[in-house]
Amino acid sequence: LPLAGREDYGLRMALVRDRISITQGSRHKYDLTVASCDGIPISATLVWADEPGETLLNDLDLVLIRRSDGRIFHPNGRDKRDKTNNAERIQVGRIFEGEKYRVRVRGTNLNADSVRYSLIVTDCQRAGV
C-alpha cells in the first residue's frame, strides 16, 4: 500500500501477506528497512483461525528482530512467546531511518498439517526490500 505523497520515493505503508500456508516447525521471514517517516512506529499483526476452546490447537509465533543488535520483540506486551492467542501484535515506537528488521512467523505447535495465516506490517519502509 503506498504512502500518500511518497510513491515517487518507492515507499509503502504496509506489507500484507494473506492466507499464507505454514507447516509444523517452518519459519517464514520478511525483511524490511525503515525509511524516513517521522512518528510512524512499526506494527506487525499476525492472525489465524483456530477451533474454539480453552487452549490453542494450532499455535503460531510472531517475533520482530532488530537486525543491528539482534533484539527480539515479542507480541502482546510480553517478554516471551504468546501461547494463548490466535491474534498477535508487536509495536515498536522508536525506530530510525535505515534500521533493518526481520518479521518472523513460526509454526510452533500445529494440530493440522498446515495452517493459513494473515500478516500485516505497517510502517514506512522501502518497497521491494
Side-chain angles (χ1 to χ4, degrees):
L1 300 170
L3 178 61
R6 300 282 179 118
E7 295 87 357
D8 296 344
Y9 303 104
L11 303 178
R12 66 177 176 219
M13 193 73 173
L15 166 74
V16 178
R17 298 293 182 259
D18 190 27
R19 292 173 278 184
I20 304 297
S21 183
I22 193 166
T23 58
Q24 174 67 34
S26 295
R27 291 181 182 189
H28 295 178
K29 300 175 222 170
Y30 304 94
D31 292 327
L32 57 102
T33 301
V34 174
S36 179
C37 294
D38 292 337
I40 298 177
I42 292 177
S43 179
T45 304
L46 172 71
V47 296
W48 67 97
D50 201 59
E51 296 296 323
E54 304 252 339
T55 61
L56 289 174
L57 293 179
N58 298 294
D59 186 16
L60 304 183
D61 284 320
L62 173 69
V63 296
L64 180 68
I65 303 163
R66 186 169 47 213
R67 304 296 297 272
S68 63
D69 61 5
R71 181 170 176 195
I72 298 173
F73 298 89
H74 295 277
N76 302 339
R78 299 173 185 226
D79 60 359
K80 58 184 176 181
R81 70 186 202 89
D82 183 340
K83 301 178 191 178
T84 59
N85 295 294
N86 66 326
E88 299 186 358
R89 182 178 183 200
I90 299 170
Q91 283 190 299
V92 178
R94 191 171 169 122
I95 59 174
F96 299 99
E97 181 176 1
E99 279 188 319
K100 296 181 184 302
Y101 287 85
R102 172 169 284 166
V103 178
R104 190 176 69 206
V105 177
R106 182 173 170 214
T108 303
N109 189 16
L110 305 185
N111 192 39
D113 291 336
S114 66
V115 172
R116 292 189 184 277
Y117 68 84
S118 294
L119 172 72
I120 184 165
V121 181
T122 57
D123 75 323
C124 191
Q125 50 191 281
R126 298 200 184 279
V129 176

